[in-house]
Amino acid sequence: MKSENELLKNLSLLHSTPMGVQRIMKNLGLTEDAGDVVEFCRKAILRDACQITRQGKNWYCKIDGMIITVNAYSYTIITAHRHYEQNPRNRKTSDRHCEGRSPVAIYDVHYGLPHFARNDDKRPAFDDIKSYKEFSKYYWYREELQQICKSHGIDASGMKAELNYNIEQFFKGNIIKPKIPQKKVAAKKTPIPLTLKTGLIECGFTFGPRFREFFAEQTGITNFKFNVDMVATARKVKETHDTNFTLGDLLAIYYGKKSYAKYDKVSLQWNKFVHDFCADPATANIPDKLKTAAALWKQVRESTREKVYTSELLSSLRAKRGNPHKRMDCHVADAPRNDGSCAMHLAMTGAPQ
């Protein structure tokens, strides 16, 4: 129980590596529509049904037919894989309910992944929005942006920054059509020697051990790790089939000497929101900070507020929840209304804890 509490208290520190994200998506059969993989794992661990155990240096979080492995010291999500009980009769009702669904579908069932078809209380439907300025006042998940693009004949590939740009052009009357898939260069049987002049397309670049060792040798860093701008750059090089971009160019990206494609920092808004919330002295007495932060974030993302956390935000929402007769859906305990029993409601009303 002590280990479990330590993990839950530090969920805001959860992170993964580019290779770890790819591994998790492959093992669980996730697509890019699933959104932020780290957030996917964090919300899964937060579920009451999640069984958390500590073995050696790792935590193992078992939930809905999958096991998430987290390093106990660095809070790195190492991997996640599917797990099936030998006797289906012993599984909980919620597990049987999710049987046959993909992990993304399970995510939808339990965590309320926002489908485009769902009507938010404050945010209008996309077709009712008249300008990009109005559109940009609201927070949109990547899968929502993709659905908007697909339904309007707009290119739906790329990260959030690219999708937002495509939608901005749509409001200006410029339709960016979906890209025609490029023919892939057949992989050579014998790996070619790697030099700084070797092209990424030419050598079939990946984030695997061979290329990590190459960059470790170039930088002198034993445990070399690709940074987020290198990941964004490699992806763009492959999407545009840029045969002129070399490993030397990618090394320059690492050192910040060259810019090609920047990682979409917009996708980190939630992470920064949680970090700032937990660091605020005003939240010191809130017992379950992550669940309360998640409920606050829901209020912010569906409004025209700036998507950042401030102490004033907490105070204003406490004031709004001051009326005990006003209905308020509980985003924490699945209760139909505020009965004053959960941390979120105690925090919002300022009731003694």
Side-chain angles (χ1 to χ4, degrees):
M1 182 61 69
K2 182 178 178 181
S3 295
E4 177 182 341
N5 289 338
E6 285 301 312
L7 175 59
L8 294 178
K9 286 179 182 177
N10 293 284
L11 277 184
S12 61
L13 301 178
L14 279 187
H15 64 281
S16 191
T17 63
M19 286 187 65
V21 170
Q22 291 177 0
R23 181 165 54 247
I24 293 168
M25 293 180 70
K26 179 180 179 181
N27 291 348
L28 298 182
L30 297 175
T31 65
E32 293 187 353
D33 291 338
D36 188 339
V37 172
V38 173
E39 183 62 14
F40 173 93
C41 294
R42 181 184 288 112
K43 289 191 175 183
I45 295 171
L46 271 173
R47 294 237 8 258
D48 292 337
C50 185
Q51 300 174 19
I52 304 174
T53 56
R54 169 77 179 267
Q55 295 181 20
K57 64 179 181 180
N58 294 329
W59 279 298
Y60 296 92
C61 310
K62 182 179 176 183
I63 179 71
D64 290 330
M66 61 182 174
I67 296 178
I68 303 169
T69 304
V70 181
N71 184 278
Y73 303 105
S74 64
Y75 297 97
T76 303
I77 304 174
I78 301 170
T79 188
H81 62 271
R82 295 179 182 179
H83 172 78
Y84 300 101
E85 301 287 351
Q86 293 182 349
N87 185 358
R89 294 184 180 179
N90 292 333
R91 279 182 286 174
K92 296 182 180 181
T93 302
S94 61
D95 293 335
R96 293 197 299 271
H97 176 65
C98 296
E99 185 175 16
R101 297 175 181 263
S102 67
V104 177
I106 295 173
Y107 185 57
D108 292 347
V109 169
H110 291 303
Y111 315 134
L113 185 67
H115 293 292
F116 180 68
R118 190 190 75 185
N119 292 321
D120 290 326
D121 294 335
K122 300 178 182 178
R123 191 181 66 185
F126 176 75
D127 289 334
D128 294 332
I129 296 176
K130 305 302 181 185
S131 67
Y132 182 74
K133 183 178 180 180
E134 181 185 356
F135 171 83
S136 60
K137 291 180 180 179
Y138 303 97
Y139 185 91
W140 304 84
Y141 287 104
R142 185 168 179 268
E143 60 272 10
E144 292 179 300
L145 297 176
Q146 288 177 318
Q147 185 59 40
I148 290 171
C149 290
K150 290 176 182 178
S151 62
H152 290 79
I154 306 170
D155 179 29
S157 63
M159 295 180 286
K160 286 184 69 174
E162 295 165 299
L163 295 170
N164 276 311
Y165 173 79
N166 294 348
I167 292 173
E168 180 181 12
Q169 293 303 307
F170 172 80
F171 278 105
K172 292 179 179 180
N174 304 321
I175 305 296
I176 299 178
K177 297 293 184 180
K179 297 183 179 71
I180 300 175
Q182 297 282 347
K183 293 183 179 180
K184 295 184 179 180
V185 177
K188 297 182 179 180
K189 295 182 179 180
T190 304
I192 64 173
L194 300 181
T195 70
L196 292 177
K197 294 183 178 180
T198 304
L200 262 66
I201 301 298
E202 177 188 6
C203 64
F205 175 81
T206 67
F207 293 104
R210 180 171 181 245
F211 293 94
R212 194 186 308 114
E213 290 172 5
F214 171 79
F215 281 101
E217 182 180 344
Q218 297 297 322
T219 60
I221 300 174
T222 304
N223 297 318
F224 179 83
K225 295 182 179 179
F226 297 99
N227 63 35
V228 292
D229 287 336
M230 294 176 80
V231 174
T233 295
R235 177 175 180 173
K236 185 175 181 180
V237 168
K238 292 179 180 179
E239 287 179 348
T240 59
H241 200 69
D242 186 350
T243 56
N244 295 320
F245 196 91
T246 66
L247 294 175
D249 293 328
L250 194 59
L251 183 62
I253 296 292
Y254 176 78
Y255 285 123
K257 297 178 179 180
K258 180 177 290 189
S259 178
Y260 190 91
K262 288 291 185 181
Y263 181 75
D264 180 17
K265 299 294 192 303
V266 173
S267 62
L268 300 178
Q269 285 180 316
W270 155 250
N271 291 346
K272 189 175 188 308
F273 186 92
V274 174
H275 177 273
D276 293 345
F277 175 86
C278 293
D280 185 359
T283 66
N285 295 325
I286 297 177
D288 199 332
K289 289 185 175 61
L290 278 175
K291 288 185 178 179
T292 307
L296 277 173
W297 172 251
K298 183 178 187 298
Q299 302 287 334
V300 171
R301 85 167 190 87
E302 294 178 359
S303 71
T304 57
R305 289 176 178 269
E306 187 178 3
K307 306 305 181 274
V308 296
Y309 172 79
T310 63
S311 296
E312 290 73 19
L313 171 66
L314 183 64
S315 299
S316 65
L317 290 177
R318 274 177 170 164
K320 288 181 179 179
R321 301 301 182 260
N323 181 0
H325 301 293
K326 183 177 180 180
R327 177 185 176 88
M328 172 183 169
D329 290 337
C330 179
H331 309 297
V332 179
D334 296 326
R337 63 178 66 245
N338 179 3
D339 59 3
S341 63
C342 75
M344 174 60 190
H345 294 137
L346 292 173
M348 289 298 96
T349 59
Q353 300 182 21

